[in-house]
Amino acid sequence: DMSVEEYLESDRKKGFVFEKENMIRVALIKIAENEYCNAWSFHHILIDGYSIAILAKDFFEIYGKIKKGEDFEILPAPSYRKFVNWLAKQDMNLGKEYWGNYISGAKKASVVPCDLQGEGFAAAEYNFGIGKDISDKIKEYSREKNVTVNSVFQAIWGILLCGYNNSNDVVFGNVMAVRPPQMQGADKIAGMFSGTYPVRIAEENSEKFLEAAKKANGDFINAMKYSYCSVAEINGAAKLI
C-alpha cells in the first residue's frame, strides 16, 4: 500500500494525456479507521486557482449536509459558456489600443540576467519565508497607503528588475485569474480565467517606492477592464522583443 505522500508524488509524475483520459482525477485514500484523504488532481487548462475555492465551497456544503443527514439540492452551476459569449462581444481593437499605449516606448520585456552559455537548464524551486514580522509590516504598509499587497510586491520586483537590467523602464508579465468586473455573476463561474498581463515600472516612479506601488495599483485596476485580451493579442499590440 502507498502512503498519501507516495500517491501524491506518483500522481504528479503521471501528469495528464489529453488524447487518452479525463483531465480530472479524484482518489479517496483511507488513512485510519475514520479518517480519509481526498486527493483531487486536474489539468490547469480546465480551471484556474480562483475556481478551486468555488468548487471546494460547494463540496463542503454538500458533504456537511450529508454528514448531518440533511437534504440538499444541487443547483445548476453557472455556465462557462456565458463567459465565452461575453468574450465574443468585447471590442478587441479597443483592448489592443489600451495595451499598445500602455507598453508604448518600451523596447523589450525585462529578464533576470543569467548565463546562457551552457547546454541547457533544469527547472528547480527555491522556497523561503519572509517571516511573520515582515509580512505583517507589509500588510500594515499596504493598508496605510491604500494599495494592495500585490502592488507592493510588483513595485519591489519592478525596481529590482530596473537594477538587474540597467534600465529605467522595465516590463514583466503578471499571471492572474481575472473575473471581468463588467460581467455579472463572473465570480460564481468555475473555469479558466487566467491570463498573463504586462506590468510596467518606469524609473520616474521607481525613484519613490510609494509612487511605484500606487502606479502598479492603478494600472491593475485599468488592466481589469481590458483583461479579455489574450497574451498573443497583447504581444501583437505591444510589439515587444
Side-chain angles (χ1 to χ4, degrees), residues 28-199:
L28 188 63
I29 305 170
K30 187 173 183 178
I31 301 174
E33 184 62 28
N34 293 307
E35 186 177 355
Y36 295 84
C37 172
N38 183 17
W40 173 35
S41 305
F42 61 89
H43 195 287
H44 198 42
I45 197 172
L46 292 182
I47 56 176
D48 55 26
Y50 186 96
S51 300
I52 297 175
I54 296 175
L55 297 175
K57 178 177 178 293
D58 289 344
F59 175 85
F60 284 110
E61 282 184 358
I62 294 172
Y63 175 76
K65 289 184 179 295
I66 293 174
K67 191 175 180 180
K68 294 176 182 178
E70 299 175 357
D71 293 333
F72 62 90
E73 182 180 5
I74 300 179
L75 300 175
S79 174
Y80 188 74
R81 185 175 295 278
K82 181 180 180 181
F83 170 66
V84 175
N85 292 337
W86 176 88
L87 193 63
K89 297 176 182 177
Q90 302 313 300
D91 188 338
M92 290 298 169
N93 290 327
L94 185 63
K96 291 177 183 179
E97 181 181 0
Y98 168 78
W99 289 114
N101 291 334
Y102 180 68
I103 303 299
S104 178
K107 296 179 180 179
K108 61 181 180 179
S110 307
V111 297
V112 177
C114 59
D115 182 8
L116 298 178
Q117 296 180 359
E119 297 180 357
F121 62 92
E125 294 182 1
Y126 178 71
N127 298 315
F128 67 96
I130 61 174
K132 187 177 185 303
D133 289 342
I134 296 178
S135 177
D136 288 343
K137 288 178 181 178
I138 291 174
K139 292 176 183 177
E140 182 181 355
Y141 178 86
S142 301
R143 287 192 297 268
E144 289 179 353
K145 305 304 181 182
N146 198 29
V147 296
T148 64
V149 171
N150 182 58
S151 299
V152 169
F153 276 99
Q154 285 186 347
I156 292 171
W157 185 240
I159 292 171
L160 281 173
L161 285 178
C162 281
Y164 284 144
N165 288 267
N166 191 29
S167 172
N168 61 357
D169 190 4
V170 297
V171 178
F172 58 91
N174 178 40
V175 179
M176 55 185 180
V178 177
R179 262 58 179 175
Q182 312 95 310
M183 193 183 88
Q184 186 176 5
D187 60 330
K188 303 292 193 299
I189 301 175
M192 173 48 68
F193 288 82
S194 290
T196 301
Y197 307 96
V199 177

Side-chain angles (χ1 to χ4, degrees), residues 1-8 10 29-32:
D1 293 344
M2 283 187 181
S3 67
V4 172
E5 291 74 18
E6 288 172 337
Y7 171 81
L8 294 177
S10 173
I29 305 170
K30 187 173 183 178
I31 301 174

